[in-house]
Amino acid sequence: MGRKFTNKDIEIFNKLAPETGGNTTSAMGHQYPYILRPISHRIAQSSDDFKNRLNKLSSEELDYLVDLALKDMEDIRSLDPGDIDALMDVISEKISSERASELKRHAGII
């Protein structure tokens, strides 16, 4: 289940959710196992908010998250449906539609 966050993971999490003040643990005291799921479920107020947060990432940071998801080290299947669409939109815009399609196929979201 999940992984231990690297410094890069923490940096990306903080960029997506600066209001957490660097806290990457849940209310239950467990480290979040993924970056995007707590942003989707607990922090972003809407799919538009989620998309705006994702747009703060560089294409390299976004591609890093795609790589993690393709290795099943980042969970995108359990994001809110509108947030999955927002993620795919941002990937298409910042990286490529082919990369978004690759991730959709991998996650079985087609």
Side-chain angles (χ1 to χ4, degrees):
M1 171 164 157
R3 65 187 188 289
K4 182 159 176 48
F5 278 15
T6 65
N7 287 338
K8 185 171 191 161
D9 295 334
I10 293 168
E11 203 175 287
I12 290 171
F13 187 88
N14 289 337
K15 204 172 192 182
L16 291 171
E19 65 269 40
T20 63
N23 181 14
T24 60
T25 56
S26 71
M28 302 293 282
H30 304 291
Q31 160 134 11
Y32 291 127
Y34 304 106
I35 295 170
L36 295 175
R37 189 165 66 193
I39 307 295
S40 175
H41 291 269
R42 292 178 173 61
I43 298 167
Q45 301 298 308
S46 65
S47 295
D48 285 340
D49 182 25
F50 187 73
K51 186 174 186 174
N52 289 335
R53 290 169 185 271
L54 291 173
N55 273 316
K56 294 178 185 175
L57 299 178
S58 69
S59 55
E60 292 79 18
E61 291 166 328
L62 191 59
D63 202 45
Y64 171 77
L65 290 176
V66 173
D67 281 339
L68 288 178
L70 290 171
K71 294 174 186 168
D72 294 321
M73 295 173 68
E74 182 62 42
D75 178 25
I76 64 160
R77 291 175 189 95
S78 67
L79 299 180
D80 290 338
D83 293 349
I84 292 172
D85 292 340
L87 175 63
M88 295 308 162
D89 287 349
V90 174
I91 292 168
S92 293
E93 292 163 12
K94 287 198 165 206
I95 303 171
S96 70
S97 56
E98 291 79 13
R99 193 75 162 140
S101 294
E102 177 184 10
L103 184 56
K104 282 182 186 176
R105 277 192 306 278
H106 177 79
I109 304 174
I110 294 195

